[in-house]
Amino acid sequence: MSAWSPSMTTGGPSFGNQTIRMVMHSSIAGSHARITLSNRFSDTPLTVGAVDIAVQAHGGAEVPGSSRTVTFGNASSATIPAGAQLISDVIPISVDTGENLLVSLYLPTTTGVSTWHSDAFDTTYLASGDHTGDNSAAGFTTTTTSWYYLAGLDLVSHTARGAVVAFGDSITDGYHSSTGTYQRWPDDLARRLAAEPGPQRLSVVDAGIGGNRVLTDVPNLWQGISALKRFSHDALGQPGVKDVILFEGINDIGNNAGPSNTPLTAQDLIDGYKALINEAHAAGVTIIGATLMPDEGNGYYSPAAEAIRQTVNDWIRTSGALDGYIDFDLAMRSPTDPHALNPSYDSGDHIHPNDAGMQAMANAVNLQLLRY
């Protein structure tokens, strides 16, 4: 069962003789962990010298005694071909819902462009040399806010029946949420699910990428290939996926980015949604749409763009093509101006919610839409 899995892109920095220590925030409790390392968006093989996993104590420090060596085919080192990913052997470690694990990845040779997730909104710790076995964070003298090569945590859960994938752009990725506090709306949704009566029955995976579009690739490589290209891997490829919440399209509208460099129409975006719906249904996965939120005051806004947003939202609400919808537009709009975000939820750029707004989004999800 997928418990945590960021979507990866190309364009990350090169490393060499360095250890990268990254945080994974598990959405469910479980044991018998496996991690996935991804070299999918790199053009050279990746040599992995050593990998360690442990429970986070605080910052980059591990809980003493919790450290486990991660192996791949019973070997502590591995080489991942360009364009490939590698799943570890089973790791004898247990994790609670909402608990953090630290993964330390030693890269002994120069990597070239890395496969990464640029906007982690969490702290990653860097050290020179091999520090995978260190309990303390003393050797980790530099920090970043990205994840590198680390693409998944799978657990055996005794209660969860499936995973729900939140598939979207920077709003889903957590842009302007507080770093290291796990207040993206998918994190808030996971906490709602965990607080429901009885055992937790769904994990939540955040498949958001800042700047991502439905129909076209983004010129900035770290903002990812289009939703149409990545949906099969990032959403339908998650172990145990049952539901996808599709919340993407505002970057297509704001950039007037139609197919083949043409101006965008509402029908273009609707056709893109239909393709994703068909793909999900062919895989036996429920797909729930989410209406696009207002953005008046942001540079994306114009009367023409607003007309497309309104048409697309009407289709999401009324077409019946989706297995249900979440009305983020209604939940997040200003009570005095339906074209603008509620000021109480506005991070300040008039398009991305603050932490309170992220919680309001999670609260707007009708849990009965999800397949328990």
Side-chain angles (χ1 to χ4, degrees):
M1 185 74 58
S2 183
W4 176 91
S5 182
S7 294
M8 309 301 280
T9 68
T10 190
S14 180
F15 297 93
N17 189 31
Q18 289 171 278
T19 301
I20 312 171
R21 179 165 286 181
M22 294 164 281
V23 182
M24 300 188 300
H25 182 72
S26 182
S27 63
I28 54 169
S31 59
H32 299 81
R34 292 181 186 266
I35 64 168
T36 297
L37 299 181
S38 177
N39 200 36
R40 289 183 65 228
F41 296 101
S42 305
D43 56 10
T44 57
L46 176 69
T47 299
V48 179
V51 184
D52 171 273
I53 189 170
V55 177
Q56 182 188 37
H58 52 82
E62 302 176 346
V63 171
S66 68
S67 177
R68 303 287 185 271
T69 297
V70 179
T71 59
F72 304 87
N74 295 316
S76 58
S77 61
T79 297
I80 308 174
Q85 59 185 32
L86 184 64
I87 300 174
S88 75
D89 300 329
V90 172
I91 306 160
I93 194 169
S94 297
V95 58
D96 291 330
T97 301
E99 190 169 40
N100 290 342
L101 298 176
L102 295 173
V103 173
S104 302
L105 178 65
Y106 175 54
L107 305 175
T109 60
T110 301
T111 66
V113 174
S114 55
T115 293
W116 70 332
H117 185 94
S118 174
D119 296 331
F121 303 103
D122 208 341
T123 303
T124 288
Y125 306 86
L126 304 178
S128 296
D130 183 0
H131 289 266
T132 53
D134 294 6
N135 280 333
S136 82
F140 293 86
T141 57
T142 307
T143 62
T144 77
T145 54
S146 303
W147 294 304
Y148 310 93
Y149 300 111
L150 184 62
L153 169 68
D154 301 335
L155 296 171
V156 174
S157 170
H158 298 297
T159 63
R161 300 176 183 176
V164 54
V165 177
F167 187 88
D169 49 39
S170 58
I171 299 174
T172 297
D173 202 18
Y175 193 75
H176 280 327
S177 65
S178 297
T179 296
T181 60
Y182 315 105
Q183 296 190 71
R184 313 167 190 90
W185 73 261
D187 296 322
D188 294 327
L189 176 60
R191 283 188 284 271
R192 276 194 69 198
L193 288 165
E196 285 287 286
Q200 185 174 353
R201 290 172 287 181
L202 284 173
S203 67
V204 179
V205 173
D206 189 332
I209 299 177
N212 202 234
R213 303 174 189 171
V214 174
L215 302 175
T216 58
D217 297 346
V218 184
N220 295 330
L221 298 177
W222 58 89
Q223 295 180 321
I225 57 176
S226 71
L228 292 174
K229 291 180 181 177
R230 73 183 185 92
F231 188 71
S232 176
H233 181 275
D234 291 0
L236 303 183
Q238 296 298 333
V241 59
K242 285 195 172 185
D243 309 291
V244 174
I245 298 174
L246 173 61
F247 177 49
E248 187 158 347
I250 201 66
N251 290 314
D252 301 70
I253 295 173
N255 289 285
N256 196 22
S260 303
N261 295 314
T262 60
L264 182 74
T265 68
Q267 191 59 52
D268 290 332
L269 198 48
I270 289 167
D271 289 344
Y273 290 157
K274 287 179 177 179
L276 298 177
I277 292 166
N278 290 339
E279 197 172 345
H281 287 167
V285 172
T286 296
I287 182 165
I288 300 156
T291 54
L292 302 177
M293 300 185 328
D295 60 359
E296 187 178 49
N298 183 270
Y300 274 4
Y301 182 85
S302 70
E306 179 66 6
I308 293 175
R309 187 182 74 90
Q310 294 290 353
T311 299
V312 167
N313 281 351
D314 287 344
W315 182 86
I316 290 170
R317 293 182 180 109
T318 64
S319 69
L322 293 144
D323 297 305
Y325 72 91
I326 302 159
D327 207 336
F328 285 155
D329 173 35
L330 181 62
M332 299 295 289
R333 68 175 64 158
S334 167
T336 59
D337 182 359
H339 307 293
L341 276 182
N342 187 326
S344 297
Y345 300 150
D346 191 345
S347 67
D349 66 4
H350 311 305
I351 192 170
H352 295 100
N354 55 22
D355 290 347
M358 291 287 183
Q359 184 67 63
M361 291 178 67
N363 292 345
V365 177
N366 178 1
L367 299 185
Q368 299 307 311
L369 293 172
L370 305 177
R371 288 198 295 174
Y372 281 72

